[in-house]
Amino acid sequence: MSDPKETPEVFIAKPSAMSLRIGMCFKATLLATGTAFVVQSQAGPLLITNRHNVTGRNNLTGELLDQKQAAIPDRIVIEHNKKGSLADGIECVEALYSDDEQPRWIEHPELGDQVDVVALPLTSMNDVQLFPYDLDIFGEDIHVGPADVVSVLGFPFGQTAGGSLAIWATGFVASEIDIGYENLPQFLIDCRSREGQSGSPVIAYRPKGSAFWSDGNLKYSTGARYRLLGVYSGRINQQSDIGIVWNVSVVRDLVDSVS
């Protein structure tokens, strides 16, 4: 299957298919849903999501997220894109622990569990089509700063936009991206996001014909452009629409640590 592309009948923006709905499970019991996406490394494809998704614990307090059953996930069910059938999902299961009960996910090489982002090597990919994010080049000329429009592509409350496609929640950058909220590689956005979007890619998307700033100059896109900015990990509190995004630099660090 080729990349999502424009046809006379339908247009699907490629990032819609790049977010993956995930379910955190203990044995056959579904504990929670979330979002993930894929990047490539020299060691193979990596699933990127929040650390709290795989640990089943609040990343700041260590409190169990599953208050009903007090369970933590031992596997993750990933709804990948099915090869040859865009927007149709195919479920694959990845173990979260090795045979000797060690975590399979990879944490940040320097900040460790302070960073609510992990990488999980993918091993179950039969009949799967991957649409990984390119961390190096595409969209890097799009300038993004406070008050610029960004989108969180995920699955609020486990819902899709149709088939296996992600829902776009759009808001604005709410802090300086490169300064670091709470002295960590994260920034804030003002966006109405909800449960199930944890682990979503946060992107700047500029459709064909739109204007964007690049190196102080106004440019117009001849085709849709997007830039991965980071990984959404939740709101600063339940009464606020201000959300936390881990900078894409932590994803690069994870990729470099396994290459």
Side-chain angles (χ1 to χ4, degrees):
M1 180 178 64
S2 61
D3 286 352
K5 61 183 180 180
E6 188 174 1
T7 71
E9 296 82 19
V10 67
F11 174 82
I12 296 176
K14 186 175 181 179
S16 294
M18 297 171 77
S19 290
L20 304 176
R21 181 167 56 172
I22 57 174
M24 282 60 72
C25 301
F26 176 71
K27 300 187 184 299
T29 301
L30 177 66
L31 304 179
T33 62
T35 305
F37 59 94
V38 175
V39 297
Q40 290 286 3
S41 74
Q42 291 185 11
L46 302 173
L47 187 79
I48 303 296
T49 192
N50 286 146
R51 184 178 184 273
H52 74 254
N53 281 338
V54 297
T55 63
R57 295 181 180 274
N58 183 298
N59 210 57
L60 293 175
T61 66
E63 181 182 7
L64 281 172
L65 298 177
D66 179 33
Q67 295 294 315
K68 183 178 180 180
Q69 301 171 93
I72 59 173
D74 63 358
R75 66 199 65 190
I76 186 169
V77 179
I78 306 163
E79 188 174 10
H80 282 288
N81 292 287
K82 185 176 182 180
K83 189 174 295 184
S85 185
L86 180 61
D88 286 337
I90 180 171
E91 291 188 348
C92 297
V93 179
E94 294 284 352
L96 291 176
Y97 295 88
S98 62
D99 291 340
D100 57 357
E101 300 184 351
Q102 295 301 307
R104 289 189 56 238
W105 65 82
I106 300 159
E107 300 188 356
H108 192 274
E110 296 178 4
L111 297 173
D113 60 9
Q114 292 185 73
V115 174
D116 193 18
V117 180
V118 296
L120 181 71
L122 290 174
T123 60
S124 177
M125 293 182 291
N126 289 337
D127 207 23
V128 163
Q129 174 67 57
L130 295 179
F131 294 117
Y133 275 95
D134 187 336
L135 298 178
D136 295 322
I137 52 173
F138 196 80
E140 285 299 305
D141 58 346
I142 301 174
H143 173 78
V144 182
D148 281 329
V149 175
V150 294
S151 296
V152 180
L153 278 72
F155 303 93
F157 307 111
Q159 299 298 304
T160 76
S164 60
L165 300 179
I167 293 172
W168 295 56
T170 298
F172 305 91
V173 177
S175 70
E176 294 290 346
I177 290 178
D178 295 325
I179 295 301
Y181 172 65
E182 294 189 331
N183 296 314
L184 289 168
Q186 54 188 3
F187 62 94
L188 301 176
I189 59 172
D190 185 355
C191 182
R192 188 167 294 179
S193 49
R194 294 296 183 263
E195 293 179 13
Q197 290 170 284
S198 292
S200 296
V202 177
I203 70 170
Y205 181 80
R206 305 296 180 256
K208 180 180 180 180
S210 63
F212 63 94
W213 287 101
S214 175
D215 298 325
N217 298 311
L218 187 63
K219 296 183 178 181
Y220 291 89
S221 57
T222 57
R225 301 184 65 79
Y226 54 90
R227 175 183 170 188
L228 178 65
L229 301 174
V231 186
Y232 178 79
S233 70
R235 292 173 284 165
I236 57 173
N237 62 59
Q238 295 301 309
Q239 287 71 48
S240 176
D241 286 332
I242 302 298
I244 296 172
V245 180
W246 289 92
N247 197 297
V248 68
S249 64
V250 305
V251 182
R252 291 193 180 99
D253 292 341
L254 286 165
V255 170
D256 291 344
S257 73
V258 299
S259 299

